[in-house]
Amino acid sequence: MAYFRSFSSVTQLFAIGVAFLFVTSVASASDDPTRLTSPPEVEIPRIEGVEINVDGIMDEAVWSQAARFSGFSDYLPVDGRLAQDSTVVMVWYSPTAIHFGIRAYEMHGQVRATLADRDKINADDHIQLILDTYNDRRQAFMIGVNPLGQQADGTLKDSDGGTHGGSASTSYSVDLSPDFLYHSKGRLTDFGYEIEVVVPFKSVRYQNTLTQDWGFNIIRQVQHSGYTSTWTSTRQDNASFMSQNGVLPALTDLRRGLVLDINPEMTGTMNRAGGKGEKFDPNARDPFGVNVRWGISSNLTLNGTFNPDFSQVEADVAQISYDPRQAVFVPEKRPFFLDGIELFQSPTNLIYTRRVSNPMSAMKLTGKIGSTNIAALSAVDNRELYLSDFDPGYSNAVRLRRDLSGQNTVGLVLTNKSSDNHWNGVAALDGRLTFAKIYSFTYQAGMSFTEDTSTSQNSDGVVSAPMWRLSSTASGQKYGGTFSAYGYHGDFNAESGFINRTGIVNVHFQPYRQWTGNQGDFVERLQLGFSLDGTWDYDRFTEGQTPNDQKFHLNSNYSFKGGWSGNTSFFMESFKYPEYLYDDFYIERKENGVVVDTTAYVGTERLSNFGFWSNLTTPRLNSFSANLTLVGGRDDNFSEWSSANILFITLGLNFNPTDQVRINFSYNHQQYDRASDHSTVNIRRVPRLKAEYQVTPYLFVRLVGQYDSNFVDALRDDSRTDEPILILDRNTGEYHQSTKFRRNQFRVDWLVSFRPDPGTVLFVGYGNSSREPNTYRFRNLERTNDGFFLKLSYLFRV
């Protein structure tokens, strides 16, 4: 890949990227004087002594006194246009809560609404209320509701930079992990839909002052058109979504009262191993736990837990790894860790709470004091399964972030994890800069420190190693792009975090040119660009050598009339042989057909790839929506380190025949056929079906079935000698010839869930895992394990 050799100096590549982003973005932004307008301020009334019924019918007299928010404009896929479907939001507050009344007019198409489970309203029409309670324009609470009042909640913040795909990312991201307690009710009407929402001040953190300003915005998603509109005139050519929010000024005397949530929980399981005659084994060990949340003040919260239950009520979707050099990330789902989790985030995932796998107890302090966000976690982790077999490990993490002028920040991460003879810590400094409204720059640098005295070889020193990351974006109306670079020394060790691959340096540069159509045009938005991407072994980078992995992509991103969207990329890539992956691979050397020696496997020095990937997403078409991703061409066959013809398919289908029934089908397909003779070396297929019936807004029944089929052929030296590959068993010192295998696993889970609020739940479920010798036959199924479980918890809000 000669195009990378011309960039022998990473400094030159960085300078070219920054110069390009600067020139093109200035040219794009300079012709639009409206982009510098100040966000609006609307004062909302404080009304005492009024009780209302949250029923989705705004017939109380108090609503006539509320402030009115209207005049929405489009944000996605094209900004700056008057919204086709008008929206009116009425807002007032009492001493203890803020009230919203929403009237969404729909004159052009059918309203999409279902009794969706919590955080699953994205396929419905919905409204998102953005509450920046500190008015720092850096992070906000997101309160979401669909037309029937079903809820989604989380936190919204500005994005740190673009993606490595075919399109630049939007300027904000939403984390749906946190759950907040609020009340909502909605209904369909002749004009569209109407919703009432009440957010108690007990449920959110805010400034500890008598009078304060809140940042505020409203996002409306219309499914039939695919349009997203906002209350303020929000532009895509601004690097910060949060800076364009409006303001609710002079909120006075907000009262939370005592904030004390006590959440006891009880669990029980019965498990059975595979095989005939096996009986269920009831497990009554450690059935009780408790979570406590105390609002020390309006801006500071202390959480504690003892023996929390972290049972998964639904099996995680099987994840397919496309590169064995990278670890697979699994998101946090456990309730205790989700409260305030957004305050632990930093540009690199140095705090990954799933590293605390089985805590006996934990405490957490989160909030904001003055201009400083504070998040601290301390946990005693039990390395055994039950408390009676207690074997402690200790985890601590601190995240501080200080607001500077404008939207600039500086932050600090400190972590440590220790057990009997082992200790690991990380310290890192980070920050974010924004300027001229269209530029953002994010950085982080840190060191890890590890000491292990369990063996004499490691008993006399601490191993330290660096990491660093930087990214920059320019958000022009016509031109823009991203530049990013990060590096992790081979000895960098973040045991409290998640780093999917260490010992590398990556540099990525992705400019784009964008065109927008007029309202009603078939093509609403088209974005074209390219990306250059290089990945080095850390030592090769410091020595100034060419990248191990070199990539050149031609990218396109498009949005069509009616909410259809997609992106397509064509790629040319080159990968250097990763020797360390094949340390246990050997081949036999023969002379005249007789084995004379066993030698280490030596792969082809470099493989060249070419192909495409493409994604298409439909809008919500009445009761149906779909998403399809295809990847094809020539790529690495990591099983044998040779070239392969690949076919990857990711398909998602959603069907809602009624507002109470949800059917989701997904299919993942990964296939590698040898380029030499077109034989299949690896194929994995994972279909998954999930059916849910929402009996009431709080009660549903779920059935999930997932089949995971994997075939791997006997391995051979496909790129050189075609001889069979031998694998060394390091325990015995023996060599074994690779043999083909087929694995077929079938998993079924059902669940009855009653959840009137995020802390009060009743789960009753059953799961069954089995296997069979022949794929998709569903005959001769052999149970490997199954079990019942029960979870009961109740939220006492004092």
Side-chain angles (χ1 to χ4, degrees), residues 428 511 601 691:
Y601 177 81

Side-chain angles (χ1 to χ4, degrees), residues 451-453 455-462:
E451 184 177 24
D452 194 326
T453 59
T455 61
S456 59
Q457 294 91 334
N458 298 325
S459 61
D460 54 357
V462 175

Side-chain angles (χ1 to χ4, degrees), residues 7-62:
F7 293 123
S8 58
S9 168
V10 178
T11 303
Q12 290 177 334
L13 180 58
F14 178 80
I16 291 172
V18 172
F20 179 88
L21 299 182
F22 180 81
V23 172
T24 57
S25 299
V26 167
S28 174
S30 61
D31 61 354
D32 186 1
T34 64
R35 64 185 314 282
L36 299 177
T37 57
S38 299
E41 295 188 6
V42 177
E43 189 168 346
I44 63 175
R46 186 178 192 275
I47 304 173
E48 298 193 47
V50 176
E51 296 290 336
I52 68 168
N53 182 25
V54 181
D55 55 6
I57 304 174
M58 288 177 286
D59 52 1
E60 295 90 351
V62 67

Side-chain angles (χ1 to χ4, degrees), residues 134 141 180 201-206 256 259-261 292-304 336 338-344 363-369 374-377 797:
Y134 292 100
F141 296 106
F180 312 115
F201 295 137
K202 281 178 179 285
S203 298
V204 296
R205 292 181 297 271
Y206 54 90
R256 303 175 90 205
V259 178
L260 181 61
D261 295 343
V292 178
R293 174 179 176 264
W294 174 36
I296 302 173
S297 65
S298 65
N299 61 340
L300 210 57
T301 301
L302 180 66
N303 297 74
F336 170 77
L338 292 179
D339 185 30
I341 193 173
E342 70 280 2
L343 298 179
F344 288 93
M363 295 190 68
K364 179 172 59 177
L365 179 69
T366 56
K368 188 167 188 175
I369 299 177
I374 298 173
L377 170 69
R797 170 156 282 192

Side-chain angles (χ1 to χ4, degrees), residues 630-641:
L630 294 175
V631 184
R634 183 69 56 86
D635 209 339
D636 302 321
N637 163 18
F638 277 101
S639 298
E640 300 173 329
W641 189 250

Side-chain angles (χ1 to χ4, degrees), residues 685 707-711 741-747 770-777 781-782 784:
R685 294 166 289 179
Y707 197 103
D708 190 346
S709 168
N710 192 18
F711 167 78
F741 72 87
R742 187 182 301 274
R743 184 187 67 225
N744 302 301
Q745 297 177 318
F746 182 50
R747 174 76 184 182
S770 56
R771 62 191 177 195
E772 63 172 344
N774 298 311
T775 307
Y776 299 142
R777 297 296 191 272
L781 282 169
E782 177 187 356
T784 56

Side-chain angles (χ1 to χ4, degrees), residues 20 41 334 365 473 545 609 643 666 689 743 777 783:
F20 179 88
E41 295 188 6
R334 303 172 298 176
L365 179 69
T473 65
Q545 300 184 42
N609 307 324
S643 293
S666 65
L689 180 67
R743 184 187 67 225
R777 297 296 191 272
R783 185 185 72 244

